[in-house]
Amino acid sequence: MPDNRRSRNITQGVNRSPNRSMYYAMGYKKEDFDKPMIGIANGHSTITPCNSGLQKLADAAIEAIRACDANPQVFGTPTISDGMSMGTEGMKYSLISREVIADCIETAIMGQWMDGCVVIGGCDKNMPGGMIGLARVNVPGIYVYGGTILPGEYKGRALTIVSSFEAVGEFTAGRMSEEDFEEIEKRACPSSGSCGGMYTANTMSSSFEALGMSLLGSSTMANPDEEKTQSAAASARVLVAAVRANLRPRDIITRQSITNAVALIMALGGSTNAVLHYLAIAHAAEVPFAIDDFEAIRKRVPVICDLKPSGRFVATDLHRAGGVIEVLRILLEGKLIDGSCLTITGKTLAEEIALAAPRKAPLADVIRTLEAPLYPQGHLAILKGNLATEGCVAKITGLKNPVIIGPARVFDSEYAAMDAIVARAIKPGDVVVIRYVGPKGGPGMPEMLAPTSALVGQGLGESVGLITDGRFSGGTWGMVVGHVAPEAYVGGLIALIEENDLITIDAHRLLLQLEVDDETIALRRSRWVAPKPRYSRGVLAKFARLTSSASVGAVTDLDLFD
């Protein structure tokens, strides 16, 4: 990536440009050309509640940048609502949108010679897409998360978007009335903001505090609350100071700070998608960080937060309990994170934690201590074996026994698997296999929230395994294994599984194994024929052609010319 700051001072390119006439057309004055040009990558849209409350944050950032004697330059980034596209063809565009967002940010910043950028986003892929973009261009940047949604409520039960998906399984199993099903559907999302559990959006935004690229305390605020707007303005002011100090993303995003971010994710019980996204962020920042590094961190960091989907509480509860700051304070005191890492304020993480508000009265139900954790080790296990020689990701919290050995029920699409689940054709002890839904095979590696939630709703979350070369929603829990690599589309062993083959999922041994002899596997491989691409044109075809394996982040610019 060329560095557009090496050969000029701030705004020099604009100050001596014959194209100043175009700036005058937007109301600029001569003196404005000596000020920093600050991009605002605004993800506002009315597509999803995750992003519908972002404009007020962008407006606050604009005013703060002007007050700092800098020029705000607003441009848009797209979003795909994972919750709305789940279980449809649209879900194939979700992971792809991460790359599109990163490309938008790179294109706007580099094409318009911006001196820094405030990225504002809400839905799941907004966060990694924005961070990848900032890491690529390496101009001063800060991430402003749109904030969490307020929890819904029905009959004394706190609701999130996942409640609606699980209700499908309960309703089809005859365990819920139609009236209750419809009321849950209506009440699950009562405000603007991103899905309320420790799902992918809240996982990634929380981790950006630990990474040093967002202000401490900002990620667990609710979008409707005034403090979220105030935090956006404060973030913009910090970013202008970082521009003047020439403090850049790659000064902050290091192997040590990514390790801090992953440690926080383990402590929170966060989304499996964080594995995919941090591999991609590390790639963009040119930081050596591999899938096996997650396993090393998991073994030393316990889960200390009791948060949905496998726990009881939501992000607003975490905020009242002290937020990410409190969790980071506990991890720092336990020497489980590196406090010397630099943050976007110019101070170290330890200094920022020390400057934060005093420790709140503990809400032990939400945040535990290291001495009495929810689970003694992290929850995102990296399994290997003949079915996943490159690795795969299992979420192992909330399970009484993270081991299952059972017969394969094989499906070449999510829709076929969902039909079987709804028809009550999946029984305790089965291992559901959903394949050809990986980065290339999907394409786009869609999430399998609909089938996993339906299984949970039918009471099969503990007794049925599910493996896939696709992804899972941050809201997924149960005996599930995703990101299986190599994927079926490129001839990974998952493509050769046949109905009733015995499969072992064993989180204790970190094993995903097809219990079929080598001779039979070799015979099946000799008969296997690679499928034709599902799409020959457009963004899905481009992604399928360019994407890497999930084991290295499903990135689209991996050694393109090697």
Side-chain angles (χ1 to χ4, degrees):
M1 174 61 61
D3 185 344
N4 71 346
R5 297 295 170 275
R6 277 184 196 152
S7 60
R8 69 186 186 93
N9 295 322
I10 288 177
T11 70
Q12 177 182 329
V14 172
N15 202 30
R16 293 289 177 261
S17 169
N19 295 325
R20 286 191 295 177
S21 296
M22 301 189 78
Y23 288 92
Y24 283 125
M26 295 184 290
Y28 279 61
K29 298 181 175 63
K30 184 176 181 180
E31 56 267 28
D32 288 325
F33 300 121
D34 291 320
K35 301 174 182 178
M37 297 290 186
I38 307 297
I40 299 177
N42 184 5
H44 172 79
S45 77
T46 57
I47 288 173
T48 169
C50 305
N51 290 54
S52 65
L54 299 188
Q55 188 58 48
K56 63 183 179 182
L57 307 186
D59 292 341
I62 289 167
E63 291 308 310
I65 289 167
R66 286 178 177 150
C68 291
D69 209 27
N71 297 315
Q73 295 187 316
V74 183
F75 62 95
T77 61
T79 194
I80 297 296
S81 170
D82 287 30
M84 291 177 175
S85 64
M86 199 72 67
T88 74
E89 196 77 356
M91 173 45 68
K92 294 180 179 180
Y93 289 87
S94 168
L95 181 59
I96 293 173
S97 74
R98 183 191 76 179
E99 302 303 298
V100 174
I101 291 165
D103 291 348
C104 283
I105 290 170
E106 176 188 338
T107 300
I109 291 176
M110 302 303 287
Q112 294 300 134
W113 292 71
M114 294 176 187
D115 297 297
C117 189
V118 177
V119 182
I120 304 175
C123 201
D124 292 4
K125 305 311 172 294
N126 295 186
M127 271 64 71
M131 197 58 64
I132 290 167
L134 290 175
R136 280 187 197 166
V137 299
N138 199 33
V139 302
I142 193 167
Y143 202 97
V144 175
Y145 177 46
T148 185
I149 199 169
L150 297 172
E153 190 274 332
Y154 182 59
K155 292 186 175 180
R157 173 186 171 191
L159 302 177
T160 69
I161 184 61
V162 176
S163 305
S164 296
F165 285 91
E166 292 181 358
V168 172
E170 292 185 71
F171 180 65
T172 59
R175 299 167 60 191
M176 177 180 289
S177 70
E178 185 171 358
E179 178 186 359
D180 286 347
F181 175 77
E182 290 182 355
E183 289 300 319
I184 288 172
E185 191 175 48
K186 291 175 187 176
R187 297 165 184 257
C189 298
S191 74
S192 57
S194 298
C195 301
M198 193 47 62
Y199 310 145
T200 303
N202 283 326
T203 296
M204 295 305 298
S205 60
S206 296
S207 75
F208 287 174
E209 292 189 39
L211 187 67
M213 289 293 289
S214 288
L215 297 187
L216 287 192
S218 64
S219 67
T220 51
M221 296 172 179
N223 177 264
D225 292 346
E226 179 59 25
E227 66 176 347
K228 185 70 256 186
T229 305
Q230 294 170 357
S231 177
S235 298
R237 291 191 289 270
V238 166
L239 188 275
V240 175
V243 169
R244 293 188 166 122
N246 197 27
L247 177 58
R248 309 185 192 194
R250 295 194 193 184
D251 299 326
I252 299 167
I253 304 173
T254 64
R255 181 173 172 83
Q256 291 73 27
S257 70
I258 292 177
T259 299
N260 285 349
V262 174
L264 178 76
I265 290 164
M266 295 295 178
L268 293 173
S271 168
T272 54
N273 282 308
V275 176
L276 195 74
H277 297 327
Y278 267 101
L279 290 171
I281 291 167
H283 169 72
E286 299 186 61
V287 170
F289 201 84
I291 192 168
D292 290 336
D293 291 318
F294 289 87
E295 184 57 31
I297 298 167
R298 182 190 73 81
K299 288 179 177 177
R300 64 181 181 82
V301 179
V303 179
I304 60 172
C305 296
D306 189 2
L307 299 170
K308 290 180 180 291
S310 55
R312 293 178 291 166
F313 299 100
V314 295
T316 50
D317 297 316
L318 177 62
H319 191 60
R320 284 192 292 271
V324 169
I325 297 172
E326 184 60 27
V327 182
L328 287 173
R329 198 192 319 264
I330 292 169
L331 295 177
L332 182 64
E333 291 171 353
K335 299 182 179 179
L336 294 174
I337 57 173
D338 183 347
S340 69
C341 291
L342 193 62
T343 75
I344 187 59
T345 66
K347 298 181 176 66
T348 67
L349 183 61
E351 288 171 335
E352 283 296 326
I353 293 170
L355 288 170
R359 188 191 299 272
K360 292 191 176 184
L363 294 179
D365 285 346
V366 182
I367 304 174
R368 305 283 189 91
T369 64
L370 294 177
E371 294 71 31
L374 220 63
Y375 303 98
Q377 292 184 321
H379 63 301
L380 300 180
I382 305 302
L383 276 54
K384 291 191 174 180
N386 65 359
L387 269 174
T389 56
E390 295 177 11
C392 59
V393 185
K395 194 173 190 177
I396 60 175
T397 49
L399 298 172
K400 296 182 180 70
N401 180 26
V403 178
I404 188 169
I405 302 172
R409 303 298 312 279
V410 183
F411 304 95
D412 288 347
S413 74
E414 175 188 3
Y415 314 118
M418 193 65 183
D419 287 344
I421 294 167
V422 171
R424 311 298 305 277
I426 305 301
K427 306 301 180 186
D430 287 345
V431 177
V432 174
V433 178
I434 306 177
R435 63 189 181 189
Y436 293 104
V437 291
K440 289 183 178 293
M445 208 179 177
E447 293 177 350
M448 302 292 115
L449 179 61
T452 57
S453 296
L455 287 170
V456 169
Q458 291 182 3
L460 298 174
E462 294 271 4
S463 59
V464 168
L466 190 151
I467 71 169
T468 181
D469 49 11
R471 296 182 295 129
F472 294 117
S473 163
T476 294
W477 73 275
M479 182 55 108
V480 296
V481 180
H483 309 201
V484 172
E487 63 175 292
Y489 185 85
V490 299
L493 187 58
I494 190 173
L496 307 183
I497 301 172
E498 294 186 359
E499 193 78 4
N500 291 316
D501 283 348
L502 209 59
I503 292 176
T504 295
I505 305 171
D506 189 335
H508 295 313
R509 293 189 290 161
L510 302 176
L511 181 68
L512 182 65
Q513 189 81 3
L514 176 62
E515 306 295 353
V516 173
D517 62 83
D518 292 343
E519 184 178 346
T520 301
I521 290 173
L523 179 61
R524 291 180 187 178
R525 186 167 297 285
S526 70
R527 296 172 178 170
W528 181 77
V529 177
K532 293 181 180 179
R534 295 182 190 269
Y535 303 89
S536 58
R537 300 181 66 181
V539 68
L540 291 172
K542 285 191 286 187
F543 185 86
R545 184 178 183 117
L546 294 173
T547 187
S548 71
S549 168
S551 64
V552 289
V555 298
T556 54
D557 62 345
L558 184 67
D559 301 327
L560 288 177
F561 296 103
D562 280 5

